[in-house]
Amino acid sequence: MQKSARTRGRKAKNATEPEPNPNSTTTATTSTGAAADTVVASLNAATDATTTDRRGSKRRRKTGKGKDDDVAIVTSPERRATRYSEHNGDYDVTAVVPEVPPRWESAGKVVPSMDAVVKVFCVHTEPNFSLPWQRKRQYSSSSSGFIIGGRRVLTNAHSVEHHTQVKVKKRGSDTKYLATVLAIGTECDIAMLTVTDDEFWEGVSPLEFGDLPALQDAVTVVGYPIGGDTISVTSGVVSRIEILSYVHGSTELLGLQIDAAINSGNSGGPAFNDKGECVGIAFQSLKHEDAENIGYVIPTPVITHFIQDYEKNGEYTGGFPILGVEWQKMENPDLRMSMGMGNEHKGVRIKRIEPTAPESNVLSPSDIILSFDGVNVANDGTVPFRHGERIGFSYLVSQKYTGDKALVKILRKSKIHEFNIKLATHKRLIPAHIGGKPPSYYIIAGFVFAAVSVPYLRSEYGKDYDFDAPVKLLDKHLHAMAESVDEQLVVVSQVLVADINIGYEEIVNTQVVAFNNKPVKNLKSLAEMVESCNEEFLKFDLEYEQIVVLRTKMAKKATRDILLTHCIPSAMSDDLKS
């Protein structure tokens, strides 16, 4: 995704043309040129070229006789017949009129497919987690997308995140069409759009999806990256196929690594194979001082999974389930022997199970997962993928849909058991995203309470939040598991300074453990307990054994004045009022 930016530059000064010398001979050449975006093309006809030096005189370009040129310049018989055909006084005028248009018989099949690649323009209005009762200043961005069947357009989820307006423009068109967002799959970083204007769909053929490419297969990434306004084409090969970390959704799904350049603005653009079929969507790249030209593409199995989930349910349901367990490799022979595994057994050991996951009812810690849906799991947690390739067994789980069942074979105390497990999505204590909703908050006596999420951490501590955030919050983010589906990590985000909260001003992003000796389950339960409190004091137990005590009547009275001072419309977000 490329943020809109306009670069101002100094216009080139006009060169001063020298007066014509009547004793000299000038040759004027008239030609027509055609620009063609091609991946593989052969030029069968071209005009002779001239170059102009700084003094304004024209020189014939040397073509290097006897040398092999990348593009052969051939003069047609028709052009030779018209050369030097007119004389006007002291000037020789040569008219070069192309009568035979260039032929593109050897152009690759990717060429017509590029007409389905569109430029996506989006206006974003992100939530303000520091001041959750308002939003940030809006900004614009541009990215890429492409047309598929059913009058739909695919792009990246991060390209239209927190959108207020989305427009698309076809290649070669000067019209931007308003688009409607049909679905956003944050986990897989894919979004689906549509355009109601029938004119947009005229003369455009949707792209066809190809199979998952093999290693070293050629790929061509098409889009509208930074550095220009027109369509851009970069090419490379598939260098790796494995389970990747999807940065936007904080998930791990199948991905392709390619060596074609993927820059800001390429996001959402298609990756073609040599048959002109779409084999993926460009979505992220690796920027590191020790790495060059490492880009990542969402492959067709993930794209198809997203589309089928939408078509089956009429909306995107977050349909990439997980097996809610943490597991350990069983490569050490002593460890295997202690767990009762024989030479015929291979698998991984369950360390912990998500309390909110359906499999918590049938699986136990120290169970050995031997197979998933009939596919044997190796001691390192991999399963056969293709010839000569292996991949993490989470790939098998991600191929399922939310609510599907899978047969899991385990080894428990030297006995084999099989369970049909219903798969579900992951419920994290600190969620990876908030689903496009405004953040929740509650204010009492200047104390701003909020629920922690990954976007909240990124807003407070920047993109390197996993290094800069407090250790306690990071530990919860990486290792803590939710005990119930509605559990949240509630913190004092900040303290809006007032007379009633003197001495508490420096409390920032500190977890709230209990209120009046009752555990805090989530932000809504905290708001309800405070609002209904009739005791003399409000007592908040924070982490590190810190407490905050306020007089109830004085705190509620001061809240109204604080809200008025800071122009805050309400003491709580709308979702806490219902």
Side-chain angles (χ1 to χ4, degrees):
M1 181 175 66
Q2 168 194 350
K3 292 188 178 180
S4 295
R6 187 176 296 276
T7 304
R8 298 183 181 272
R10 185 181 301 171
K11 290 185 177 181
K13 295 182 179 179
N14 294 328
T16 304
E17 294 291 341
E19 296 182 0
N21 184 356
N23 297 321
S24 64
T25 301
T26 304
T27 301
T29 303
T30 304
S31 63
T32 59
D37 296 298
T38 64
V39 178
V40 181
S42 175
L43 185 60
N44 294 308
T47 62
D48 287 348
T50 61
T51 58
T52 305
D53 64 9
R54 289 189 173 184
R55 294 184 298 275
S57 62
K58 296 191 175 182
R59 298 174 296 176
R60 184 71 56 187
R61 180 186 301 162
K62 296 181 180 180
T63 58
K65 293 183 179 180
K67 297 181 180 179
D68 294 333
D69 294 327
D70 293 336
V71 179
I73 300 178
V74 182
T75 305
S76 64
E78 291 79 7
R79 291 180 185 171
R80 284 199 209 91
T82 59
R83 191 176 303 277
Y84 305 112
S85 59
E86 298 182 17
H87 300 277
N88 184 10
D90 296 329
Y91 297 88
D92 291 338
V93 179
T94 301
V96 179
V97 180
E99 299 181 10
V100 181
R103 300 189 304 273
W104 306 91
E105 294 89 353
S106 59
K109 294 184 180 180
V110 178
V111 177
S113 301
M114 287 197 292
D115 289 339
V117 182
V118 301
K119 192 170 185 177
V120 180
F121 301 86
C122 184
V123 178
H124 309 257
T125 308
E126 294 182 349
N128 190 334
F129 289 91
S130 298
L131 305 173
W133 48 87
Q134 64 185 32
R135 287 182 174 265
K136 293 182 180 179
R137 185 186 183 97
Q138 70 180 21
Y139 67 92
S140 300
S141 71
S142 66
S143 56
S144 307
F146 59 95
I147 296 171
I148 63 171
R151 295 167 64 100
R152 295 171 296 186
V153 175
L154 289 186
T155 185
N156 279 144
H158 71 260
S159 299
V160 295
E161 186 183 28
H162 304 303
H163 64 278
T164 53
Q165 186 186 74
V166 181
K167 293 182 287 187
V168 295
K169 185 173 75 172
K170 293 192 296 183
R171 177 190 178 206
S173 173
D174 60 349
T175 305
K176 297 177 183 177
Y177 300 87
L178 283 174
T180 303
V181 179
L182 297 177
I184 295 180
T186 306
E187 296 84 1
C188 57
D189 202 1
I190 304 176
M192 183 184 294
L193 318 176
T194 190
V195 177
T196 56
D197 195 333
D198 293 335
E199 181 184 0
F200 174 80
W201 305 102
E202 294 177 359
V204 178
S205 299
L207 295 186
E208 299 293 334
F209 291 105
D211 297 329
L212 187 69
L215 293 177
Q216 294 186 334
D217 278 1
V219 289
T220 302
V221 178
V222 182
Y224 294 87
I226 190 173
D229 295 327
T230 57
I231 201 165
S232 170
V233 178
T234 56
S235 60
V237 298
V238 177
S239 53
R240 184 176 292 163
I241 303 175
E242 63 179 2
I243 300 296
L244 297 178
S245 175
Y246 283 46
V247 175
H248 181 66
S250 296
T251 52
E252 292 187 348
L253 298 171
L254 184 67
L256 305 179
Q257 178 183 316
I258 63 175
D259 64 354
I262 296 180
N263 298 309
S264 179
N266 266 126
S267 296
F272 294 108
N273 60 15
D274 54 6
K275 298 179 182 179
E277 299 170 330
C278 176
V279 294
I281 304 175
F283 76 115
Q284 65 188 33
S285 60
L286 179 62
K287 303 297 184 183
H288 193 273
E289 59 183 4
D290 296 330
E292 294 181 1
N293 285 350
I294 295 181
Y296 298 103
V297 172
I298 304 171
T300 46
V302 178
I303 302 172
T304 304
H305 191 287
F306 168 81
I307 295 174
Q308 290 180 352
D309 182 29
Y310 174 81
E311 292 175 345
K312 184 167 60 174
N313 301 291
E315 60 179 358
Y316 178 69
T317 62
F320 288 89
I322 66 157
L323 193 63
V325 300
E326 291 183 0
W327 51 269
Q328 175 186 0
K329 294 180 180 180
M330 296 295 292
E331 296 176 314
N332 184 275
D334 294 339
L335 177 61
R336 291 164 46 79
M337 184 180 298
S338 68
M339 300 301 298
M341 297 178 66
N343 294 330
E344 71 279 9
H345 297 141
K346 290 184 178 181
V348 293
R349 173 184 171 270
I350 296 177
K351 295 192 298 183
R352 294 195 300 169
I353 305 174
E354 295 273 0
T356 59
E359 47 268 27
S360 63
N361 298 322
V362 292
L363 299 181
S364 303
S366 292
D367 285 349
I368 308 298
I369 300 177
L370 301 177
S371 68
F372 181 88
D373 251 7
V375 181
N376 293 330
V377 180
N379 291 326
D380 61 353
T382 62
V383 294
F385 183 50
R386 295 190 299 194
H387 178 70
E389 299 178 62
R390 298 188 68 85
I391 198 168
F393 85 95
S394 61
Y395 167 72
L396 300 177
V397 185
S398 66
Q399 292 295 97
K400 298 284 187 177
Y401 292 86
T402 301
D404 287 354
K405 290 188 177 182
L407 181 65
V408 178
K409 182 189 293 186
I410 66 165
L411 180 69
R412 178 185 297 168
K413 296 180 180 179
S414 301
K415 294 184 179 180
I416 295 178
H417 303 270
E418 290 185 349
F419 299 103
N420 257 322
I421 297 176
K422 185 177 181 180
L423 301 175
T425 54
H426 195 151
K427 172 61 180 78
R428 297 179 177 175
L429 180 62
I430 298 181
H433 54 87
I434 58 175
K437 300 176 182 178
S440 302
Y441 71 92
Y442 175 67
I443 302 175
I444 183 71
F447 286 81
V448 182
F449 298 94
V452 179
S453 62
V454 171
Y456 176 88
L457 295 175
R458 189 179 291 115
S459 174
E460 289 287 298
Y461 301 102
K463 63 180 182 179
D464 294 328
Y465 68 90
D466 46 351
F467 294 99
D468 299 332
V471 175
K472 283 276 189 179
L473 291 181
L474 288 178
D475 180 65
K476 295 284 195 330
H477 169 51
L478 296 174
H479 303 294
M481 293 182 174
E483 296 294 331
S484 61
V485 293
D486 58 349
E487 184 179 357
Q488 292 177 320
L489 183 65
V490 180
V491 297
V492 178
S493 175
Q494 62 174 314
V495 178
L496 304 176
V497 177
D499 293 343
I500 193 168
N501 53 45
I502 291 176
Y504 300 134
E505 302 93 334
E506 296 181 357
I507 299 177
V508 177
N509 290 327
T510 305
Q511 183 184 356
V512 182
V513 179
F515 171 75
N516 283 358
N517 299 322
K518 296 179 181 178
V520 175
K521 187 177 182 180
N522 51 47
L523 187 58
K524 187 171 184 178
S525 67
L526 174 64
E528 291 174 349
M529 288 189 293
V530 174
E531 290 294 313
S532 61
C533 180
N534 295 320
E535 300 181 21
E536 182 179 1
F537 295 103
L538 303 175
K539 179 186 175 184
F540 300 91
D541 292 298
L542 311 181
E543 61 182 351
Y544 302 112
E545 307 301 326
Q546 188 175 7
I547 63 172
V548 170
V549 178
L550 302 167
R551 284 188 289 175
T552 304
K553 292 183 179 179
M554 295 293 292
K556 294 183 178 181
K557 181 179 179 181
T559 300
R560 292 189 292 268
D561 296 333
I562 293 173
L563 296 179
L564 186 62
T565 300
H566 293 273
C567 301
I568 303 174
S570 176
M572 65 179 71
S573 53
D574 292 339
D575 61 317
L576 301 183
K577 297 177 182 178
S578 58

